[in-house]
Amino acid sequence: MHSSRPLTTAVGALAAAITLLAGLVVLGTEPAAAADDAPWTVQTSSNEFGSERPNYSYTLNPGGQLADGLVIANQGTAPLDLALYAADAFTTDAGQLDLVTKGATSTGVGAWVHADRDRVTIQPGKSVEVPFTLTLPANACPGDHLGGIVTSLTQAGVERRVALRIRLRVGGELKPALSVEKLHLDSPGTLNPFGKSDATLSYTIHNTGNAVLAARQSASVSGPFGRLRANSGQVADSPPLLPGESWKVSVPVHGVASSVPLTGTVTLVPLLADAAGSTAPLTAVDTAAHSWPTPWALLILFLVLCGLVVVLLTSRRRSKSGTPVQTPRAQETSQLTH
């Protein structure tokens, strides 16, 4: 899951319409959901849970069970034979919510929701209501679980899917938590020891709790004792991350001191959304990493000084070990004397 990618903000806006290699899935956020070219729509049943619900949202204790349903309408001119199945949700690399494909293993909502049939045939202009049950095992983990119930049509090897999202909060202690992992500060420095350079903070946001969370982010780089601080500016919120999911981030910071030890700091404010879509900020989490940019100017100066010292030492050694050499004129005078 993993991210330098587009980011979204609210769990209440968890909806996506993305084209997959295997086909098209639409997670409904309107009373009726349909792919752009799908000749059918799906919507929630009207019952004791309400009418015209945009999707499903439940709170249920471990071992509990409930019954609900969906309504599928054929808006085309030919009969439709659709497959039905439940699937777990996950966050894509683009920061959107998607559902695992049919045949993939589901361990949460996709394993706990069962429609009373796995296929349905609908005549043109007609609709069919399909009941389903949600049964929790006694050892279901407390916290948030996301998935969906999918209607699917496969033609010419391409699967088109229209789905309604299911958000389930299992009763028990809610422990929302985010962590920053693998934080790395990269600052190459400059030739000017008094100049400024650019730095990059790279890290991974990890949802280590049991609630769906987005992260409001800020980053900065400072010198010793917090001096010479440079802020990253506005950083987009992460997408809502399901429990256990991770998101890779790379944040540029400009105007960083180039010749002093540096400390990069990342601050995350977890954003917890309830079933109604209201978002509450939680206690901020700070994480730091350290680096010392290469002092190119000082390094070059040091190398030059080392070179001069070598030249001077070599010259002195030659001058001490050398012997006087007689000139031809001095040798000629000595012969005449004898």
Side-chain angles (χ1 to χ4, degrees):
M1 306 194 163
H2 350 232
S3 246
S4 52
R5 304 175 180 118
L7 303 178
T8 56
T9 56
V11 171
L14 281 173
I18 61 175
T19 302
L20 305 174
L21 294 178
L24 181 73
V25 61
V26 171
L27 298 182
T29 56
E30 300 296 334
D36 292 341
D37 59 347
W40 76 95
T41 62
V42 295
Q43 64 184 42
T44 58
S45 297
S46 295
N47 49 36
E48 65 271 20
F49 292 106
S51 60
E52 297 186 349
R53 292 170 289 164
N55 45 56
Y56 303 101
S57 181
Y58 309 115
T59 298
L60 193 63
N61 289 325
Q65 185 181 71
L66 59 82
D68 206 333
L70 74 159
V71 178
I72 310 166
N74 183 351
Q75 297 181 334
T77 57
L80 283 174
D81 181 31
L82 302 176
L84 277 79
Y85 60 91
D88 285 352
F90 68 97
T91 304
T92 69
D93 289 344
Q96 297 173 314
L97 187 73
D98 195 7
L99 300 174
V100 300
T101 56
K102 188 176 183 180
T105 301
S106 289
T107 59
V109 170
W112 302 334
V113 171
H114 299 279
D116 74 344
R117 69 194 85 170
D118 57 10
R119 300 199 72 85
V120 60
T121 300
I122 312 170
Q123 298 300 318
K126 301 295 183 179
S127 62
V128 173
E129 184 170 4
V130 180
F132 65 82
T133 57
L134 192 163
T135 304
L136 288 184
N139 61 348
C141 295
D144 291 337
H145 302 265
L146 267 71
I149 187 161
V150 182
T151 58
S152 167
L153 176 65
T154 301
Q155 294 176 321
V158 176
E159 182 188 23
R160 286 183 292 176
R161 303 193 294 171
V162 182
L164 287 175
R165 174 168 56 87
I166 298 173
R167 175 169 179 164
L168 170 67
R169 178 161 288 178
V170 177
E173 186 178 2
L174 194 65
K175 298 178 179 179
L178 292 176
S179 66
V180 176
E181 300 176 354
K182 301 177 183 178
L183 177 58
H184 176 70
L185 171 59
D186 180 29
S187 180
T190 66
L191 291 176
N192 181 0
F194 304 104
K196 303 291 184 179
S197 65
D198 294 337
T200 302
L201 283 164
S202 303
Y203 53 95
T204 298
I205 302 172
H206 186 193
N207 186 344
T208 57
N210 63 358
V212 175
L213 292 172
R216 184 150 294 154
Q217 309 172 72
S218 60
S220 65
V221 177
S222 61
F225 309 108
R227 305 295 296 273
L228 306 173
R229 181 179 299 275
N231 295 314
S232 64
Q234 185 173 2
V235 182
D237 292 350
S238 78
L241 299 176
L242 279 62
E245 288 188 332
S246 297
W247 183 256
K248 293 182 179 179
V249 183
S250 181
V251 178
V253 182
H254 307 292
V256 174
S258 61
S259 300
V260 297
L262 298 175
T263 299
T265 303
V266 172
T267 300
L268 299 183
V269 178
L271 304 176
L272 177 66
D274 59 22
S278 299
T279 302
L282 305 180
T283 304
V285 177
D286 292 324
T287 306
H290 306 280
S291 176
W292 194 334
T294 304
W296 294 109
L298 296 178
L299 182 60
I300 292 173
L301 178 60
F302 175 75
L303 292 175
V304 170
L305 290 176
C306 287
L308 291 175
V309 170
V310 170
V311 170
L312 291 174
L313 291 176
T314 302
S315 298
R316 292 184 61 184
R317 188 176 301 161
R318 286 177 179 175
S319 64
K320 288 182 178 180
S321 62
T323 56
V325 178
Q326 291 183 334
T327 63
R329 183 179 298 275
Q331 293 176 353
E332 183 178 352
T333 305
S334 177
Q335 292 175 355
L336 289 176
T337 303
H338 287 84

